[in-house]
Amino acid sequence: MNKIAQIFETLEYGPAPEAPDQAYAWLDSHDRRFGHYIDGAWTEPGTTFSSDNPATGESLAQITDGSAEDVDRAVAAARAALPGWSALSGYQRGKYLYAIARAVQKHARLFSVLESLDNGKPIRESRDIDIPLVARHFYHHAGWATHLERAFPDHVPYGVCGQIIPWNFPLLMLAWKIAPALAAGNVVLLKPAEFTSLTALLFAEICDRIGLPKGVVNIVTGQGDTGAAIVNHSGVDKIAFTGSTEVGKIIRAASAGTGKGLSLELGGKSPYLVFEDADIDSAIEGLVDAIWFNQGQVCCAGSRLLVQESIEEQFLTRLKRRMATLRVGDPLDKSVDIGALVAPVQVERIRDLMKRGVAEGAHVYEPDGDVPSNGCFLKPALVTNVSPASTLVAEEIFGPVLVAMSFRTPEEAVQLANNTRYGLAATVWSENINLALDIAPKLKAGVVWINGTNNFDAAVGFGGYKESGFGREGGREGMGAYLKPKWEKALKPAAAPSPVTAAVRSANPLDSDHLDQTAKMYIGGKQARPDSGYSRPVLGSDGTLVGEVGEGNRKDIRNAVEAARSASGWANTAAHSRAQILYFLAENLDYRRAEFAARIKAQTGEDGEAEVDLAVERLFGFAGWADKYDGAVHNPPPRAVAAAMVEPLGVLGIVAPEVRPLLGSVALLAPAIAMGNTVVLVPSSRSALSMTDFYQVLETSDVPNGVVNIVTGDPAILAKTLAEHDGVDGLWLMGSVETSALVEKASTGNLKQTWTSRGLDYDFADPRFAGDYLLGKATQVKNVWIPYGA
Ligand code: NAI
Ligand code: MG
């Protein structure tokens, strides 16, 4: 070997430390003790705890453990700032966001060093990824603010937003939360995670420096109890949370029935699929980024490698070779790949999980070499000999641990990939564009990266399916999540339904001209008798018995959900075909208008003709939407495009309002099925006959079996069963305050998306329900990143 070749073989990186002096000087300027930042001023430090450097164990500063009173003060300050801030023009707010972005850039190195000191992440990442993305986020939202009136006409901010963030991307998560909130005209109370509050406190100083009006941004530090005080505060209008699925579920349950807005960005166990035709070197580099970026403490980490069996051995051998070159050590060393985990408790958590895994038979590979013995360091690890049921495959480890499994066919790859309670992200590697783009839509995840991984941009939405939470951050979706239509804020309580009087005539008065008709339920394309064997009366407005319907129970709901699940192919039916079927429904309902009008009149005493007209109009209208409410293509800075694909929620439970027995159901059913959802519908309990008549329209309109299922009965009981059912992906409930609270609480199991009317008067005759308001609720956006351009 000649000398130069030899040098390349033996080349070692020397240490390239980043100096912490300026960060220390900033901490010293606060005497290393912090209060909260409330109403544009620092409070006196209260009861404090230490924020440590996890690489050394040294204490960096004392920060205040926020009390309920502190939260109260911050909410009051925010509330007081709201009228002024929301009254500014979008342009004026945009200028403040622009100033924040500029200030973040001016102090970028201070922010990066402080972040790495407090969190343990390599300076290379905080300097090149976290902080530039923070600035990018504020710039992007300065633009949204400026164009808000045109982009979201007649929308208003929620008000006071309580934002709770985790420790893995401290300042970046702050930016994801604060930028859209402020752009929309909201005011904010944000609690950073207890391990990593320092950059949020430096951010407060930036807000001060640029002259942000006081009270618009309030930072309260503290632990879980402080977070809970924010969640439970009656003065908070919207909660945005990023963190563990466990705490996400606590927050869902705690906020049930309060009417607070809620977005949850939770955990993941994201699959990383490598097909046999992948560019293996790239796939391995991608994988390094997917699982060892930020020590694997990434909600969307590609922590589950699924590699095609034909290349498994070769791939794992090369992966191990690459793992051996990863440098673990001082986060402030510019040539370190893997820094420290955030805190000793996290290291312990990971070690415990690994012990459980090994006890179950998992094999663990770690490269040779040492890691610093002080501080929270772990080697990168590769786990094999696992199956889908293994602890290490099922649980989010949140550390530098990759689990590997293999698959034989693309079908098996999809099945394994989706075999998780999470659905945040997924990565696909294949040089075959047809294969990659065939797999992407089949993955149940909010973000899919093709031949790339961990791409983020402010213009592209991010967020999960299933137990990874709901709501999106970034992009138009994320912006919309901080706004609501003006009319929604003005909704009045619905008039209490008149009490049901006892039947004044006996059941089925025999009419000599007609045969007795039995209204059944409709499940899987078949008329079904209730499991209970009981019926319930349907009375007219004068108390006359006009008929009877089945008393549905849990079993009927379960059957209906099963039918709806097995009709999932509806989502893949071409939009044009779905439109044709909705048109056909409109046509057939129109054809029978007299009969339906008479039925409405008999049940409610109201003008049936007008209601049938509107129901036909809705079917016709949403048929027209089926092939128009679609996605967008974003052009983020890296060499990629992100296709924002509109997807249905899946199986949607709909509990229709008591009033308007036909329109109330059809107005909700039409957008749901137009977008590809399959539905379990509970019609008005008082006037169920309109919808039991409707299944005859369904049958004559080529609606595939299982796409619409109708279960009659007590809405409160059936709604609870739907809310608890893990096979239901979303639930709309038009009902009382109590039932709304009940279903929101009962929905925590699989974190299904709920939309409840909370006793408010949603008038589905209003044209505002003829368009994207309901289409938006019936869908979620999946962002698929595709390489594009050189
Ligand atoms: P965590 O979910 O407890 O912490 C996130 C934030 O929630 C922190 O600010 C915390 O103070 C706050 N919080 C805790 N309990 C709360 C409550 N009852 N009400 C309101 N706010 C509350 O996460 P933790 O305990 O730090 O980490 C545990 C595990 O959670 C990790 O090992 C990881 O698996 C997962 N995790 C996932 C994250 C993600 O982005 N997907 C982020 C952080 C943790
Ligand atoms: Mg810390």
Coordinates of all heavy atoms in Angstrom, one line a residue, residues 120-202:
G120 N -28.0 17.0 25.0 CA -27.0 15.9 24.7 C -26.9 15.5 23.3 O -26.1 14.7 22.9
K121 N -27.6 16.3 22.4 CA -27.6 15.9 21.0 C -26.3 16.5 20.4 O -25.8 17.5 20.8 CB -28.8 16.4 20.2 CG -29.0 17.9 20.2 CD -30.2 18.3 19.3 CE -31.5 17.8 19.9 NZ -32.5 17.6 18.8
P122 N -25.7 15.8 19.4 CA -24.5 16.3 18.7 C -24.7 17.7 18.2 O -25.7 18.0 17.6 CB -24.3 15.3 17.6 CG -25.1 14.1 17.9 CD -26.2 14.5 18.8
I123 N -23.7 18.5 18.3 CA -23.7 19.9 17.8 C -23.9 19.9 16.3 O -24.6 20.8 15.8 CB -22.4 20.6 18.2 CG1 -22.4 22.1 17.8 CG2 -21.1 20.0 17.6 CD1 -23.3 22.9 18.7
R124 N -23.4 18.9 15.6 CA -23.6 18.8 14.2 C -25.1 18.8 13.9 O -25.5 19.4 12.9 CB -23.0 17.4 13.7 CG -22.6 17.3 12.3 CD -21.7 16.1 12.1 NE -22.3 14.8 12.7 CZ -23.2 14.1 12.0 NH1 -23.6 14.4 10.8 NH2 -23.6 12.9 12.6
E125 N -25.9 18.2 14.7 CA -27.4 18.1 14.4 C -28.0 19.4 14.9 O -28.9 20.0 14.2 CB -28.0 16.9 15.2 CG -27.5 15.6 14.6 CD -28.1 14.4 15.3 OE1 -29.0 14.6 16.2 OE2 -27.7 13.3 15.0
S126 N -27.7 19.9 16.1 CA -28.4 21.1 16.6 C -28.0 22.3 15.7 O -28.9 23.1 15.3 CB -28.1 21.4 18.0 OG -26.7 21.4 18.2
R127 N -26.8 22.3 15.2 CA -26.3 23.4 14.4 C -26.8 23.3 13.0 O -27.2 24.3 12.4 CB -24.8 23.4 14.4 CG -24.1 24.5 13.6 CD -22.6 24.1 13.3 NE -22.5 22.9 12.5 CZ -21.4 22.2 12.4 NH1 -20.3 22.5 13.0 NH2 -21.4 21.1 11.7
D128 N -26.9 22.1 12.4 CA -27.2 22.0 11.0 C -28.7 21.6 10.7 O -29.2 21.7 9.6 CB -26.3 21.0 10.3 CG -24.9 21.3 10.4 OD1 -24.6 22.5 10.7 OD2 -24.0 20.5 10.2
I129 N -29.4 21.1 11.7 CA -30.7 20.7 11.5 C -31.7 21.4 12.4 O -32.6 22.1 11.9 CB -30.8 19.1 11.7 CG1 -30.0 18.5 10.6 CG2 -32.3 18.7 11.5 CD1 -29.7 17.0 10.8
D130 N -31.6 21.2 13.7 CA -32.6 21.8 14.6 C -32.8 23.3 14.4 O -33.9 23.8 14.1 CB -32.3 21.5 16.1 CG -32.3 20.1 16.5 OD1 -31.7 19.2 15.8 OD2 -33.0 19.8 17.5
I131 N -31.7 24.0 14.6 CA -31.9 25.5 14.6 C -32.2 26.1 13.3 O -33.1 26.9 13.2 CB -30.7 26.2 15.3 CG1 -30.3 25.5 16.6 CG2 -30.8 27.7 15.4 CD1 -31.5 25.5 17.7
P132 N -31.6 25.6 12.2 CA -32.1 26.1 10.9 C -33.5 25.8 10.6 O -34.2 26.7 10.0 CB -31.2 25.3 9.9 CG -29.9 25.0 10.7 CD -30.4 24.8 12.1
L133 N -34.0 24.7 11.0 CA -35.4 24.4 10.8 C -36.3 25.3 11.7 O -37.4 25.6 11.3 CB -35.7 22.9 11.1 CG -35.4 21.9 10.0 CD1 -35.7 20.4 10.5 CD2 -36.3 22.2 8.8
V134 N -35.8 25.7 12.9 CA -36.6 26.6 13.7 C -36.8 27.9 13.0 O -37.9 28.4 12.8 CB -35.8 26.8 15.0 CG1 -36.5 28.0 15.8 CG2 -35.8 25.6 15.9
A135 N -35.7 28.4 12.4 CA -35.8 29.7 11.7 C -36.7 29.5 10.5 O -37.6 30.4 10.2 CB -34.4 30.1 11.2
R136 N -36.5 28.4 9.8 CA -37.4 28.2 8.6 C -38.9 28.1 9.0 O -39.7 28.7 8.3 CB -37.0 26.8 8.0 CG -38.0 26.1 7.1 CD -37.7 26.4 5.6 NE -38.8 25.8 4.8 CZ -39.7 26.5 4.2 NH1 -39.7 27.9 4.1 NH2 -40.7 25.9 3.5
H137 N -39.2 27.6 10.1 CA -40.5 27.5 10.6 C -41.1 28.9 10.8 O -42.3 29.2 10.5 CB -40.6 26.6 11.8 CG -41.7 25.6 11.8 ND1 -41.6 24.5 11.0 CD2 -43.0 25.6 12.3 CE1 -42.7 23.8 11.1 NE2 -43.6 24.5 11.9
F138 N -40.4 29.7 11.4 CA -40.9 31.1 11.7 C -41.0 31.9 10.4 O -42.0 32.6 10.2 CB -40.0 31.8 12.7 CG -40.4 31.4 14.1 CD1 -39.6 30.5 14.8 CD2 -41.6 31.9 14.7 CE1 -40.0 30.1 16.1 CE2 -41.9 31.5 16.0 CZ -41.1 30.6 16.7
Y139 N -40.1 31.7 9.5 CA -40.2 32.4 8.2 C -41.5 31.9 7.5 O -42.3 32.7 7.0 CB -39.0 32.1 7.3 CG -37.8 32.9 7.6 CD1 -36.5 32.3 7.8 CD2 -37.8 34.3 7.6 CE1 -35.4 33.1 8.1 CE2 -36.7 35.1 7.9 CZ -35.5 34.4 8.2 OH -34.4 35.2 8.5
H140 N -41.6 30.6 7.4 CA -42.8 30.1 6.7 C -44.1 30.6 7.3 O -45.0 31.0 6.5 CB -42.7 28.5 6.8 CG -43.9 27.8 6.1 ND1 -43.9 27.7 4.8 CD2 -45.0 27.3 6.6 CE1 -45.0 27.0 4.4 NE2 -45.7 26.8 5.5
H141 N -44.1 30.7 8.6 CA -45.4 31.1 9.2 C -45.6 32.6 9.2 O -46.7 33.1 9.3 CB -45.5 30.5 10.6 CG -45.9 29.1 10.5 ND1 -45.0 28.1 10.5 CD2 -47.1 28.4 10.4 CE1 -45.6 26.9 10.4 NE2 -46.8 27.1 10.3
A142 N -44.5 33.3 9.1 CA -44.6 34.8 8.8 C -45.4 35.0 7.5 O -46.3 35.8 7.4 CB -43.2 35.4 8.7
G143 N -45.1 34.1 6.6 CA -45.8 34.1 5.3 C -47.3 33.8 5.4 O -48.2 34.4 4.9
W144 N -47.6 32.7 6.2 CA -49.0 32.4 6.4 C -49.7 33.5 7.1 O -50.9 33.8 6.7 CB -49.1 31.1 7.3 CG -49.0 29.8 6.6 CD1 -48.2 28.8 6.9 CD2 -49.9 29.4 5.6 NE1 -48.4 27.7 6.1 CE2 -49.5 28.0 5.3 CE3 -51.0 29.9 4.9 CZ2 -50.1 27.3 4.3 CZ3 -51.6 29.1 3.9 CH2 -51.2 27.9 3.6
A145 N -49.1 34.1 8.1 CA -49.8 35.2 8.8 C -50.2 36.3 7.8 O -51.3 36.8 7.7 CB -48.9 35.8 9.9
T146 N -49.2 36.7 6.9 CA -49.5 37.7 6.0 C -50.6 37.4 5.0 O -51.3 38.3 4.6 CB -48.2 37.9 5.1 OG1 -47.1 38.0 6.0 CG2 -48.2 39.2 4.3
H147 N -50.8 36.1 4.7 CA -51.8 35.8 3.7 C -53.1 35.1 4.4 O -53.9 34.5 3.7 CB -51.2 34.9 2.7 CG -50.1 35.6 1.9 ND1 -50.4 36.6 1.1 CD2 -48.8 35.4 1.9 CE1 -49.3 37.1 0.6 NE2 -48.3 36.3 1.0
L148 N -53.1 35.2 5.7 CA -54.2 34.5 6.4 C -55.6 34.8 5.9 O -56.4 33.9 5.7 CB -54.1 34.8 7.9 CG -54.6 33.7 8.8 CD1 -53.7 32.4 8.6 CD2 -54.5 34.1 10.2
E149 N -55.9 36.1 5.7 CA -57.2 36.5 5.4 C -57.7 35.9 4.1 O -58.8 35.6 3.9 CB -57.4 38.1 5.4 CG -57.3 38.7 6.7 CD -55.9 39.2 7.2 OE1 -54.9 38.8 6.5 OE2 -55.8 39.9 8.1
R150 N -56.7 35.8 3.2 CA -57.0 35.2 1.8 C -57.0 33.7 1.9 O -57.9 33.0 1.3 CB -56.1 35.7 0.8 CG -56.4 37.2 0.4 CD -55.2 37.8 -0.4 NE -54.0 37.9 0.4 CZ -53.8 38.9 1.2 NH1 -54.7 39.9 1.4 NH2 -52.7 39.0 1.9
A151 N -56.1 33.1 2.6 CA -55.9 31.7 2.6 C -57.0 31.0 3.5 O -57.5 29.9 3.2 CB -54.6 31.3 3.1
F152 N -57.4 31.7 4.5 CA -58.5 31.1 5.4 C -59.5 32.2 5.7 O -59.6 32.7 6.9 CB -57.8 30.6 6.8 CG -56.9 29.5 6.6 CD1 -55.5 29.7 6.4 CD2 -57.3 28.2 6.7 CE1 -54.6 28.6 6.3 CE2 -56.4 27.1 6.5 CZ -55.1 27.3 6.3
P153 N -60.3 32.5 4.7 CA -61.3 33.6 5.0 C -62.3 33.2 6.0 O -62.6 32.0 6.2 CB -62.0 33.7 3.6 CG -61.6 32.5 2.8 CD -60.4 32.0 3.4
D154 N -62.8 34.1 6.8 CA -63.8 33.9 7.8 C -63.4 32.9 8.9 O -64.2 32.2 9.4 CB -65.1 33.5 7.2 CG -65.6 34.6 6.3 OD1 -65.5 35.8 6.6 OD2 -66.1 34.2 5.1
H155 N -62.1 32.9 9.2 CA -61.6 32.0 10.3 C -61.1 32.9 11.4 O -60.6 34.0 11.2 CB -60.5 31.1 9.8 CG -61.1 29.8 9.1 ND1 -61.8 29.9 7.9 CD2 -61.0 28.5 9.5 CE1 -62.2 28.7 7.6 NE2 -61.7 27.8 8.5
V156 N -61.2 32.4 12.6 CA -60.7 33.1 13.8 C -59.8 32.2 14.6 O -59.9 30.9 14.5 CB -61.9 33.6 14.6 CG1 -62.6 34.7 14.0 CG2 -62.8 32.4 15.0
P157 N -58.9 32.8 15.4 CA -58.0 31.9 16.2 C -58.8 31.3 17.3 O -59.9 31.7 17.7 CB -57.0 32.9 16.8 CG -57.7 34.2 16.7 CD -58.6 34.2 15.5
Y158 N -58.3 30.2 17.9 CA -58.9 29.5 19.1 C -58.9 30.5 20.3 O -59.9 30.5 21.0 CB -58.1 28.3 19.4 CG -58.6 27.1 18.7 CD1 -58.1 26.8 17.4 CD2 -59.5 26.2 19.2 CE1 -58.5 25.7 16.7 CE2 -59.9 25.0 18.5 CZ -59.4 24.8 17.2 OH -59.8 23.7 16.5
G159 N -57.8 31.1 20.5 CA -57.7 32.0 21.7 C -56.4 31.7 22.4 O -55.3 31.8 21.9
V160 N -56.5 31.2 23.7 CA -55.4 30.8 24.5 C -55.0 29.4 24.2 O -55.7 28.5 24.4 CB -55.6 31.0 26.0 CG1 -54.4 30.6 26.8 CG2 -56.0 32.5 26.3
C161 N -53.7 29.2 23.7 CA -53.3 27.8 23.4 C -52.3 27.4 24.5 O -51.3 28.0 24.8 CB -52.6 27.8 22.1 SG -53.7 28.2 20.7
G162 N -52.6 26.2 25.1 CA -51.7 25.6 26.0 C -50.9 24.6 25.3 O -51.4 23.7 24.6
Q163 N -49.5 24.7 25.3 CA -48.7 23.9 24.4 C -47.7 23.2 25.3 O -47.0 23.8 26.1 CB -48.0 24.7 23.4 CG -49.0 25.6 22.6 CD -48.4 26.4 21.5 OE1 -47.4 27.0 21.7 NE2 -49.0 26.4 20.3
I164 N -47.6 21.9 25.2 CA -46.7 21.1 26.0 C -45.8 20.2 25.1 O -46.3 19.5 24.2 CB -47.6 20.1 26.9 CG1 -48.5 21.0 27.8 CG2 -46.7 19.2 27.7 CD1 -49.6 20.2 28.5
I165 N -44.5 20.4 25.3 CA -43.6 19.8 24.3 C -42.6 18.8 25.0 O -42.4 18.9 26.2 CB -42.9 20.9 23.5 CG1 -42.1 21.8 24.4 CG2 -43.9 21.6 22.6 CD1 -41.2 22.8 23.7
P166 N -42.0 17.9 24.2 CA -41.1 17.0 24.8 C -39.6 17.5 24.7 O -39.4 18.6 24.2 CB -41.3 15.8 23.8 CG -41.5 16.4 22.5 CD -42.3 17.7 22.8
W167 N -38.7 16.6 25.0 CA -37.3 17.0 25.2 C -36.5 16.6 24.0 O -35.3 16.9 24.0 CB -36.7 16.4 26.5 CG -37.2 15.0 26.7 CD1 -38.2 14.6 27.6 CD2 -36.8 13.8 26.1 NE1 -38.4 13.3 27.5 CE2 -37.5 12.7 26.6 CE3 -35.8 13.5 25.1 CZ2 -37.4 11.4 26.2 CZ3 -35.6 12.2 24.7 CH2 -36.4 11.2 25.3
N168 N -37.0 15.9 23.0 CA -36.1 15.4 22.0 C -35.7 16.5 21.0 O -34.6 16.4 20.5 CB -36.7 14.2 21.3 CG -38.1 14.3 20.8 OD1 -38.7 15.3 21.2 ND2 -38.6 13.4 20.0
F169 N -36.6 17.4 20.7 CA -36.2 18.5 19.8 C -36.7 19.8 20.5 O -37.7 20.4 20.0 CB -36.8 18.4 18.4 CG -36.3 17.2 17.6 CD1 -36.9 16.0 17.7 CD2 -35.1 17.3 16.9 CE1 -36.4 14.9 17.1 CE2 -34.6 16.2 16.2 CZ -35.2 15.0 16.3
P170 N -36.1 20.2 21.5 CA -36.7 21.2 22.4 C -37.1 22.5 21.7 O -38.3 22.9 21.7 CB -35.6 21.5 23.5 CG -34.8 20.2 23.5 CD -34.8 19.7 22.1
L171 N -36.2 23.1 21.0 CA -36.5 24.4 20.4 C -37.3 24.2 19.1 O -38.2 25.0 18.7 CB -35.3 25.2 20.1 CG -35.6 26.7 19.7 CD1 -36.1 27.5 20.9 CD2 -34.4 27.4 19.1
L172 N -37.1 23.1 18.4 CA -37.8 22.8 17.2 C -39.3 22.6 17.5 O -40.2 23.1 16.8 CB -37.2 21.7 16.4 CG -37.8 21.4 15.1 CD1 -37.7 22.6 14.1 CD2 -37.1 20.2 14.4
M173 N -39.5 21.8 18.5 CA -40.9 21.6 18.9 C -41.6 22.9 19.3 O -42.8 23.1 19.1 CB -41.0 20.5 20.0 CG -40.7 19.1 19.5 SD -41.7 18.5 18.2 CE -40.6 18.7 16.8
L174 N -40.9 23.7 20.0 CA -41.4 25.0 20.4 C -41.8 25.8 19.1 O -42.9 26.4 19.0 CB -40.3 25.8 21.2 CG -40.6 27.2 21.6 CD1 -40.0 27.6 22.9 CD2 -40.2 28.2 20.5
A175 N -40.9 25.8 18.1 CA -41.2 26.5 16.9 C -42.5 25.9 16.2 O -43.3 26.6 15.7 CB -40.0 26.4 16.0
W176 N -42.5 24.6 16.2 CA -43.7 23.9 15.5 C -45.0 24.4 16.2 O -46.0 24.4 15.5 CB -43.6 22.4 15.6 CG -42.6 21.8 14.6 CD1 -41.6 22.4 14.0 CD2 -42.7 20.4 14.1 NE1 -41.0 21.5 13.2 CE2 -41.6 20.3 13.2 CE3 -43.5 19.3 14.4 CZ2 -41.3 19.1 12.5 CZ3 -43.2 18.1 13.7 CH2 -42.1 18.0 12.8
K177 N -44.9 24.6 17.5 CA -46.1 25.0 18.2 C -46.4 26.5 18.1 O -47.5 26.9 17.9 CB -46.0 24.6 19.7 CG -45.8 23.1 19.9 CD -47.2 22.4 20.0 CE -47.0 20.9 20.3 NZ -46.5 20.1 19.2
I178 N -45.4 27.3 18.4 CA -45.6 28.7 18.6 C -45.8 29.4 17.2 O -46.7 30.3 17.1 CB -44.5 29.4 19.4 CG1 -44.5 28.9 20.8 CG2 -44.5 30.9 19.3 CD1 -43.5 29.6 21.8
A179 N -45.1 29.0 16.2 CA -45.2 29.8 15.0 C -46.6 29.8 14.4 O -47.1 30.8 14.1 CB -44.1 29.3 14.0
P180 N -47.2 28.6 14.2 CA -48.6 28.7 13.6 C -49.6 29.3 14.5 O -50.5 30.0 14.1 CB -48.9 27.2 13.3 CG -48.0 26.4 14.2 CD -46.8 27.2 14.4
A181 N -49.4 29.1 15.8 CA -50.4 29.6 16.8 C -50.4 31.2 16.7 O -51.4 31.8 16.6 CB -50.0 29.2 18.2
L182 N -49.2 31.7 16.7 CA -49.1 33.2 16.6 C -49.5 33.7 15.3 O -50.2 34.8 15.2 CB -47.7 33.7 16.9 CG -47.0 33.5 18.3 CD1 -45.9 34.4 18.5 CD2 -48.0 33.6 19.4
A183 N -49.2 33.0 14.2 CA -49.6 33.5 12.9 C -51.1 33.6 12.8 O -51.6 34.5 12.2 CB -49.0 32.5 11.8
A184 N -51.8 32.7 13.4 CA -53.2 32.6 13.4 C -53.9 33.7 14.3 O -55.1 33.9 14.2 CB -53.7 31.2 13.7
G185 N -53.1 34.3 15.2 CA -53.7 35.3 16.1 C -54.0 34.7 17.5 O -54.6 35.4 18.3
N186 N -53.5 33.5 17.7 CA -53.6 33.0 19.1 C -52.5 33.5 20.0 O -51.5 34.1 19.5 CB -53.4 31.4 19.1 CG -54.5 30.7 18.3 OD1 -55.6 30.5 18.7 ND2 -54.1 30.4 17.0
V187 N -52.7 33.4 21.3 CA -51.7 33.7 22.3 C -51.3 32.3 22.9 O -52.1 31.4 22.9 CB -52.1 34.7 23.3 CG1 -52.3 36.1 22.6 CG2 -53.5 34.3 23.9
V188 N -50.2 32.3 23.5 CA -49.6 31.0 23.9 C -49.1 30.9 25.3 O -48.5 31.9 25.8 CB -48.4 30.7 22.9 CG1 -47.5 29.7 23.4 CG2 -48.9 30.4 21.5
L189 N -49.3 29.8 25.9 CA -48.6 29.4 27.1 C -48.0 28.1 26.8 O -48.6 27.1 26.5 CB -49.7 29.2 28.2 CG -49.4 28.3 29.4 CD1 -48.1 28.7 30.1 CD2 -50.5 28.4 30.4
L190 N -46.6 28.1 26.9 CA -45.9 26.9 26.5 C -45.1 26.3 27.6 O -44.4 27.1 28.3 CB -45.0 27.2 25.3 CG -44.1 26.0 24.9 CD1 -44.2 25.8 23.3 CD2 -42.7 26.1 25.3
K191 N -45.2 25.0 27.8 CA -44.3 24.4 28.8 C -43.3 23.5 28.1 O -43.7 22.5 27.5 CB -45.1 23.5 29.8 CG -44.3 23.0 31.0 CD -44.9 21.9 31.8 CE -44.6 20.6 31.2 NZ -43.2 20.2 31.2
P192 N -42.0 23.9 28.3 CA -41.0 22.9 27.7 C -40.9 21.7 28.6 O -41.4 21.7 29.7 CB -39.7 23.8 27.8 CG -40.0 24.9 28.7 CD -41.5 25.0 28.9
A193 N -40.2 20.7 28.1 CA -40.0 19.5 28.9 C -39.0 19.8 30.0 O -38.1 20.6 29.9 CB -39.5 18.4 28.0
E194 N -39.2 19.0 31.1 CA -38.4 19.3 32.3 C -36.9 19.1 32.1 O -36.1 19.8 32.7 CB -38.9 18.5 33.5 CG -39.1 17.0 33.2 CD -40.5 16.7 32.8 OE1 -41.0 17.4 31.8 OE2 -41.2 15.8 33.3
F195 N -36.5 18.2 31.2 CA -35.1 18.0 30.9 C -34.4 19.1 30.1 O -33.2 19.2 30.1 CB -34.8 16.7 30.2 CG -35.4 15.5 31.0 CD1 -36.1 14.5 30.3 CD2 -35.1 15.3 32.3 CE1 -36.6 13.4 31.0 CE2 -35.6 14.2 33.0 CZ -36.3 13.3 32.3
T196 N -35.2 19.8 29.4 CA -34.7 20.7 28.3 C -35.4 22.0 28.2 O -36.1 22.2 27.2 CB -34.7 20.0 27.0 OG1 -36.1 19.6 26.7 CG2 -33.8 18.8 26.9
S197 N -35.4 22.8 29.2 CA -36.1 24.1 29.1 C -35.3 25.3 28.7 O -35.8 26.4 28.5 CB -36.7 24.4 30.5 OG -37.6 23.3 30.9
L198 N -34.0 25.1 28.6 CA -33.1 26.3 28.5 C -33.3 27.1 27.2 O -33.3 28.3 27.2 CB -31.7 25.9 28.8 CG -31.4 25.3 30.2 CD1 -30.0 24.9 30.3 CD2 -31.8 26.3 31.3
T199 N -33.4 26.4 26.1 CA -33.5 27.1 24.8 C -34.9 27.8 24.8 O -35.0 28.9 24.1 CB -33.3 26.3 23.6 OG1 -34.1 25.1 23.7 CG2 -31.8 25.9 23.4
A200 N -35.9 27.3 25.4 CA -37.2 28.0 25.5 C -37.0 29.3 26.2 O -37.7 30.3 25.9 CB -38.3 27.1 26.1
L201 N -36.2 29.2 27.3 CA -36.0 30.5 28.1 C -35.2 31.5 27.3 O -35.5 32.7 27.3 CB -35.3 30.1 29.4 CG -36.2 29.2 30.3 CD1 -35.5 28.6 31.5 CD2 -37.5 29.9 30.8
L202 N -34.2 31.0 26.5 CA -33.5 31.9 25.7 C -34.4 32.5 24.6 O -34.4 33.7 24.2 CB -32.3 31.2 25.0 CG -31.5 32.0 24.0 CD1 -30.9 33.3 24.6 CD2 -30.3 31.1 23.4

